[in-house]
Amino acid sequence: MEITKHTLVSDILKEHGDLAEVMEIFGLKKVGSYRFRKFITQFITVRTAALVHRVPLDRLIKMLQKATKSS
């Protein structure tokens, strides 16, 4: 799966499962419970997630690529 700024976080979760634990290693905090994350990610792109977590977009894409390779 190619991850771009337009990729929905829900698509990443469908293919790779809940990456919250892995993403915490990269410095991104979990948002709510798994159920909440599953719901909210249906509407959030990688670009929006970068804005919310105040992480440079290119850095987040690299983190997600690395995390999905290890999942």
Side-chain angles (χ1 to χ4, degrees), residues 18 20-21 24 28-41 52-53:
D18 188 14
E21 307 293 326
E24 278 195 308
L28 295 180
K29 299 291 182 193
K30 277 193 246 184
V31 177
S33 67
Y34 173 71
R35 184 177 239 182
F36 176 75
R37 288 192 303 275
K38 190 174 177 182
F39 170 75
I40 199 71
T41 59
V52 168
H53 289 283

Side-chain angles (χ1 to χ4, degrees), residues 8-62:
L8 287 172
V9 175
S10 62
D11 291 342
I12 298 169
L13 295 178
K14 283 177 194 167
E15 189 161 325
H16 298 283
D18 188 14
L19 295 174
E21 307 293 326
V22 176
M23 295 311 295
E24 278 195 308
I25 294 168
F26 294 106
L28 295 180
K29 299 291 182 193
K30 277 193 246 184
V31 177
S33 67
Y34 173 71
R35 184 177 239 182
F36 176 75
R37 288 192 303 275
K38 190 174 177 182
F39 170 75
I40 199 71
T41 59
Q42 295 175 62
F43 313 104
I44 295 181
T45 63
V46 170
R47 181 179 179 275
T48 304
L51 291 170
V52 168
H53 289 283
R54 297 182 181 170
V55 175
L57 179 60
D58 60 333
R59 181 171 174 233
L60 179 59
I61 290 173
K62 286 178 187 174

